[in-house]
Every structure is written in C-alpha cells, then in structure tokens.
Amino acid sequence: GIETGITASSFNSVSLDPPLILWSLGKDSGSFDAFQSATHFGVHILGETQADLSQRFATLGGDKFKNLKTTPGLAGIPLLNDCPARFQCSVFERIPAGDHIIYLGKVEEMSFAKGQKPLVYHGGGYARLEAAASIA
C-alpha cells in the first residue's frame, strides 16, 4: 500500500463508547486521495525532541517515511517508534465540511510511553510543556 503521512495541527477526542477521534484534511492536499481510500490510519503524538519529524511530515512532496524505522500496524499502516502516544484507527466515517473532509476514526489500539513529554506547537513555533502552577 501507499505510505502517506502528514503533520496535523490538531485532533480531537469525540467519544469514549465507542472510542472515536477526529481530524480534518483539506480537499486540495496532496495526500487527499490516499486518505480517501485508506481503511486505517495512525495518529502519533510526537515527543518534545521530535520536532524534526513534525517538520518532515509538514513538508510537501517526497517520501516521508524514507530511512525511518517503522513498525507495521493494523492493515499495514506504518507506525513511528518512540512517540509518547500512538493511536491505530479504522476509518469510522468521512464527513464533507466545506473545503475539508473530517475523518472520524475508531481507536482500535493505543500505546503510551511513560515519562515522555509531548511536542507542543503554539503561536507559530515549537514550545515546551510546563506543569501549571497549583492554585491555592
């Protein structure tokens, strides 16, 4: 199959029963056809030291998975290693929304790596996640 990957600015939790998440993709995206025909996809929460992967998958064109060590997931989807969290999803529904398609995914498998902080993108750049001050 075709290995396609993008950097998404966000995804959301939708439901716990069944476990559903959503994200959207522009209809003019170069990856649009691959995601429209896919039965499964993976969502990776990158770690604070993985900004290079975020940039790689945000760049137009090229083989995003070239020289990356991956693990095969459900339906053969490529899974990145060493991420704080990974979700393997089957496509639950595709919903047209203006110039985007909203992808609802049913979470079939998930994994978490303790002790890793997520990569944060805010205000046009990468930032570190800090614990909030306790409120007295």
Side-chain angles (χ1 to χ4, degrees):
I2 299 171
E3 290 184 346
T4 302
I6 63 164
T7 294
S9 58
S10 67
F11 81 103
N12 293 12
S13 164
V14 175
S15 169
L16 292 176
D17 188 16
L20 300 175
I21 58 103
L22 72 76
W23 62 281
S24 65
L25 182 65
K27 292 178 182 177
D28 62 352
S29 168
S31 303
F32 183 77
D33 290 341
F35 282 106
Q36 278 296 97
S37 62
T39 60
H40 291 76
F41 61 85
V43 173
H44 298 80
I45 306 301
L46 299 178
E48 66 182 359
T49 63
Q50 295 176 312
D52 58 327
L53 285 175
S54 175
Q55 285 301 122
R56 174 192 279 234
F57 284 92
T59 303
L60 295 176
D63 179 357
K64 306 288 195 309
F65 290 93
K66 186 176 184 178
N67 299 324
L68 284 182
K69 185 174 181 170
T70 61
T71 302
L74 297 174
I77 60 173
L79 297 174
L80 301 175
N81 298 310
D82 303 320
C83 295
R86 288 191 311 208
F87 302 89
Q88 296 182 63
C89 302
S90 59
V91 175
F92 186 78
E93 190 172 351
R94 293 176 178 91
I95 304 166
D99 60 1
H100 279 63
I101 296 288
I102 297 169
Y103 292 88
L104 282 175
K106 181 178 180 189
V107 178
E108 304 285 353
E109 306 242 350
M110 60 186 160
S111 61
F112 301 94
K114 292 184 186 260
Q116 289 192 41
K117 291 183 180 178
L119 180 64
V120 176
Y121 188 81
H122 176 73
Y126 296 103
R128 294 200 182 278
L129 184 66
E130 298 291 333
S134 60
I135 299 172

